[in-house]
Amino acid sequence: MAETGLYYPPDPSSWEMCTIGGNIGTASGGLCCVKYGVTAEYVLGLDVILADGRLLRTGRRTAKGVAGYDLTRLFVGAEGSLGVVVQATLALKPAPPEQLVLAAEFGSAAAACEAVREIMAQGHVPSLLELMDKTTVRAVNAFTKMDLPDTTEALLLAAFDTHDPAADLTALGKLCAAAGATEVVPAADAAESELLLAARRTALTALETVTAASMIDESAGAGAGRPATMIDDVCVPRSKLGEFFEGVARLSDEYRLPIGVVAHAGDGNTHPTVCFDGNDPDQCIRAQQAFGAIMDLGLELGGTITGEHGVGLLKKDWLAKEVGPVSLELHRGIKEAFDPLGILNPGKVF
Amino acid sequence: MAETGLYYPPDPSSWEMCTIGGNIGTASGGLCCVKYGVTAEYVLGLDVILADGRLLRTGRRTAKGVAGYDLTRLFVGAEGSLGVVVQATLALKPAPPEQLVLAAEFGSAAAACEAVREIMAQGHVPSLLELMDKTTVRAVNAFTKMDLPDTTEALLLAAFDTHDPAADLTALGKLCAAAGATEVVPAADAAESELLLAARRTALTALETVTAASMIDESAGAGAGRPATMIDDVCVPRSKLGEFFEGVARLSDEYRLPIGVVAHAGDGNTHPTVCFDGNDPDQCIRAQQAFGAIMDLGLELGGTITGEHGVGLLKKDWLAKEVGPVSLELHRGIKEAFDPLGILNPGKVF
């Protein structure tokens, strides 16, 4: 696409290994969503093999279209339970200018969340707006020797891919300082931007090396037990983001496990990552409990159990909690209409 | 909403008389879609009374969410055939700066369409991009005495609601001139912008006074027969817009009826408006034939029969042409799952 000056905006963090088919199955998101939206918004039409082997064509090649029910959107995020997508017509956009990144450190996650709320309320349109809590920052430091300051309680990364990103970063830097940022570092060019983003890009890998033991004794490092993670995908209204970060910190104490939170903060979409020792049966149980308690917290705050990763097997029970019995019955009715024998990805979603 | 600094972007041309419920039923669009998208993108969740009287809650209050099938999107644009929407959770945006409008006249619709293609290909993000053909311009002149130049073959209106709209209009004016615009008129302020937009706002009303007789003898005016219109809603890929305008002009000759085209050109969404004398049985038949031939033309060019207004009764036969038998069968399966007795808006859509 690059040679035509066009690009495909959705950028799941797993972009180096994920597939477009998988993105469509889960309606996946990514860092760019705060400005460009999710995968579903770029899927114009689909070729789908139905359960009975027939080919269905959905959608269109045009910017707009409302002919009949939105079957395209029904397949996007259905996790393969309604048909097998074999071809997709995707919307492309003219490639924007290269983005410039700003990093801002905050003395608390609450202050950083308030800055996020203010950024979006003022109508800024960053091309990414990511937040990492102190557990994540410490994990990244330990994993990469990046030497982010130990006092950092929350690290906010923002970017603009506008025609004058430096001016936008200056305005954002002032806003962050006014909201209590202890340090604001705007990148001067693309190379510096990449350096700042590296912290975010390695966050999940870094958290995957963390266990309760390694957090207490950093010298224990990756050798402490068998590090494992359970990654939540809760999305809450932006106004509830601060409350959610506080709640997750409480759950970390309650279940005595490190929980690092990385968030697509501009969307209110968070990935609390429960870190535990996979060799320790008691920790495994507590990790599952914490994983569920985080979803319960998200639902209490008016959020959803999954912002961009889907339901799969792990979250089936919570799907029922979120959507309720009437919706679940309609889900079954649709499934029945598309796949009466239940042969498509059986046992998933609901 | 204004007092909170927020606004609801979708702006159907009928905004002074249409309802949010109707907008949701038809997944309606409007002038702003080229930048802000259609109604469906602003509907986060719905309360729906189902055919059996139960209340269903769909969707979410968050920016992102993929829990289960996208039932919200299924109801939006279903034209009341799956349930009765009784409440909606809508997404609002921070209000943008007031927009500034530019008018550009072209010597042919083809040249104007090429300018539209180039504007979008270069990544400009106008807040509206509307095109009126010469039949429409003449109708507006006759109706409003606006004195748009008689040489105008196509009138393009563009607007920006950015922080520096004057700079954006300057860039766009240059692009239009390079693409062959015979005159470019940027508005200096909001009042001038409104004057330029008035031509577009009165277009359909003006076309409603047109008949073949009045086009030939302007002094006949609105008194010529009983003026009536049939308004198409074809959306084509932007690259086919010029071909579509040419095709409609041919159909106007073939069926010997004036057809004025106003288009949300940035989306490729056009409203060819067939004007006829409702008292003349022969013209009524030709109008219906032209109305259908325009949809056939749209489908040939890879377009859709309805970009934003829905199927209703008039376009039922063309829905089947557009989506095909497999899709239609699935539509019936979904309808059956939601409304087994067929009591919801019976006879509509398919």
Side-chain angles (χ1 to χ4, degrees):
Chain A
M1 288 177 284
E3 65 275 14
T4 61
L6 295 172
Y7 91 125
Y8 175 69
D11 63 341
S13 299
S14 54
W15 64 273
E16 287 177 301
M17 55 183 170
C18 67
T19 65
I20 293 282
N23 296 168
I24 292 171
T26 58
S28 69
L31 306 190
C32 80
C33 297
V34 64
K35 178 166 183 177
Y36 294 103
V38 297
T39 294
E41 292 170 49
Y42 294 87
V43 181
L44 297 179
L46 293 172
D47 280 12
V48 183
I49 304 295
L50 299 173
D52 61 11
R54 288 183 302 172
L55 174 69
L56 169 73
R57 295 215 138 150
T58 76
R60 52 197 163 82
R61 291 190 54 221
T62 54
K64 290 158 72 178
V66 294
Y69 300 151
D70 194 340
L71 297 184
T72 307
R73 199 67 171 235
L74 197 56
F75 284 105
V76 176
E79 303 183 31
S81 66
L82 299 179
V84 179
V85 173
V86 292
Q87 193 167 305
T89 304
L90 304 176
L92 304 179
K93 290 210 167 214
E98 209 157 34
Q99 66 183 6
L100 272 191
V101 176
L102 171 144
E105 292 173 17
F106 288 84
S108 71
C113 291
E114 180 53 27
V116 166
R117 200 199 55 70
E118 190 61 24
I119 289 166
M120 300 304 288
Q122 287 192 13
H124 292 279
V125 187
S127 50
L128 70 81
L129 191 56
E130 297 285 313
L131 185 56
M132 297 156 61
D133 73 346
K134 69 174 168 186
T135 301
T136 308
V137 170
R138 282 177 64 189
V140 169
N141 261 344
F143 186 68
T144 65
K145 315 298 175 204
M146 265 191 191
D147 275 336
L148 302 168
D150 270 348
T151 53
T152 300
E153 292 287 313
L155 183 66
L156 186 67
L157 294 167
F160 287 93
D161 59 1
T162 50
H163 285 282
D164 190 359
D168 286 313
L169 286 192
T170 301
L172 204 79
K174 279 182 194 160
L175 188 158
C176 286
T182 48
E183 190 163 8
V184 172
V185 183
D189 54 33
E192 280 186 33
S193 292
E194 269 312 300
L195 278 178
L196 292 176
L197 277 186
R200 171 64 185 85
R201 291 202 202 283
T202 53
L204 286 177
T205 314
L207 285 168
E208 279 168 6
T209 68
V210 168
T211 62
S214 73
M215 288 297 280
I216 295 160
D217 172 12
E218 284 193 22
S219 65
R226 185 171 62 79
T229 55
M230 291 188 77
I231 308 176
D232 265 300
D233 176 34
V234 168
C235 191
V236 295
R238 264 193 305 270
S239 57
K240 301 286 186 186
L241 202 54
E243 239 176 289
F244 183 75
F245 268 78
E246 278 170 21
V248 171
R250 271 200 312 276
L251 292 172
S252 174
D253 289 342
E254 184 177 337
Y255 291 97
R256 288 170 290 123
L257 291 172
I259 306 178
V261 186
V262 292
H264 309 310
D267 303 314
N269 189 187
T270 70
H271 295 309
T273 302
V274 183
C275 305
F276 59 104
D277 179 350
N279 286 338
D280 180 331
D282 181 56
Q283 284 198 28
C284 291
I285 291 170
R286 278 186 278 134
Q288 284 181 33
Q289 290 170 335
F291 178 77
I294 289 167
M295 285 190 278
D296 287 335
L297 174 64
L299 292 177
E300 272 166 39
L301 295 175
T304 171
I305 59 164
T306 175
E308 58 180 11
H309 286 260
V311 175
L313 289 169
L314 266 179
K315 299 173 201 150
K316 277 166 69 173
D317 294 344
W318 280 271
L319 179 70
K321 276 194 201 179
E322 176 167 340
V323 304
V326 177
S327 176
L328 213 57
E329 194 182 312
L330 281 172
H331 275 73
R332 293 210 172 91
I334 293 170
K335 170 77 173 170
E336 175 78 20
F338 281 77
D339 179 22
L341 303 177
I343 60 176
L344 296 167
N345 213 4
K348 305 289 166 46
V349 187
F350 59 88
Chain B
M1 289 178 284
E3 65 275 15
T4 62
L6 295 172
Y7 91 125
Y8 175 68
D11 63 341
S13 299
S14 54
W15 64 273
E16 287 176 301
M17 56 183 169
C18 66
T19 63
I20 293 281
N23 296 168
I24 292 171
T26 58
S28 70
L31 307 191
C32 80
C33 296
V34 64
K35 178 166 183 176
Y36 294 103
V38 297
T39 294
E41 293 171 48
Y42 294 87
V43 182
L44 297 180
L46 293 171
D47 281 12
V48 183
I49 303 296
L50 298 173
D52 62 11
R54 287 183 303 172
L55 173 69
L56 169 73
R57 295 216 138 149
T58 76
R60 52 199 164 81
R61 291 191 53 222
T62 54
K64 290 158 72 179
V66 294
Y69 300 152
D70 194 341
L71 298 184
T72 307
R73 200 67 171 235
L74 197 56
F75 283 106
V76 176
E79 303 183 31
S81 65
L82 299 179
V84 179
V85 172
V86 292
Q87 191 166 306
T89 304
L90 304 175
L92 304 179
K93 288 209 170 218
E98 208 156 34
Q99 66 183 6
L100 272 190
V101 176
L102 171 144
E105 291 174 17
F106 288 84
S108 72
C113 290
E114 180 53 26
V116 167
R117 202 200 51 72
E118 189 62 23
I119 289 166
M120 299 306 287
Q122 287 191 15
H124 292 280
V125 187
S127 50
L128 69 82
L129 191 56
E130 297 285 313
L131 185 56
M132 297 157 61
D133 72 347
K134 70 174 169 186
T135 302
T136 308
V137 170
R138 282 177 63 188
V140 168
N141 260 343
F143 186 69
T144 63
K145 315 296 175 208
M146 264 191 192
D147 275 336
L148 302 169
D150 269 348
T151 54
T152 299
E153 292 287 311
L155 184 66
L156 186 66
L157 295 167
F160 286 94
D161 60 1
T162 50
H163 284 282
D164 190 359
D168 287 312
L169 286 192
T170 302
L172 204 79
K174 281 183 193 160
L175 188 158
C176 286
T182 49
E183 191 163 8
V184 172
V185 183
D189 53 33
E192 280 186 33
S193 293
E194 269 313 299
L195 278 177
L196 292 176
L197 276 187
R200 171 64 184 87
R201 291 202 201 282
T202 53
L204 285 177
T205 314
L207 284 169
E208 280 168 7
T209 68
V210 168
T211 62
S214 73
M215 288 297 281
I216 294 161
D217 173 12
E218 285 194 21
S219 66
R226 185 171 62 79
T229 55
M230 290 188 78
I231 308 176
D232 265 301
D233 176 34
V234 168
C235 190
V236 295
R238 265 192 306 266
S239 57
K240 302 286 185 187
L241 203 54
E243 241 176 287
F244 183 76
F245 268 78
E246 278 170 21
V248 172
R250 272 199 311 275
L251 292 172
S252 175
D253 289 343
E254 186 178 336
Y255 291 97
R256 289 172 288 125
L257 290 172
I259 306 178
V261 186
V262 292
H264 310 309
D267 303 315
N269 189 188
T270 71
H271 295 309
T273 302
V274 184
C275 305
F276 59 103
D277 179 350
N279 285 339
D280 180 330
D282 181 55
Q283 284 198 28
C284 291
I285 290 169
R286 279 186 278 134
Q288 283 181 34
Q289 290 169 335
F291 178 77
I294 289 168
M295 284 191 278
D296 287 335
L297 173 65
L299 291 178
E300 272 166 38
L301 294 175
T304 171
I305 58 165
T306 175
E308 58 180 11
H309 286 260
V311 175
L313 288 170
L314 265 180
K315 299 173 201 150
K316 275 166 69 172
D317 294 344
W318 279 271
L319 179 71
K321 276 194 201 179
E322 176 168 339
V323 304
V326 177
S327 176
L328 214 55
E329 195 182 310
L330 281 173
H331 275 73
R332 294 209 173 91
I334 293 170
K335 170 77 174 171
E336 175 77 19
F338 281 77
D339 179 22
L341 302 178
I343 59 175
L344 296 167
N345 213 4
K348 303 291 167 43
V349 188
F350 59 88

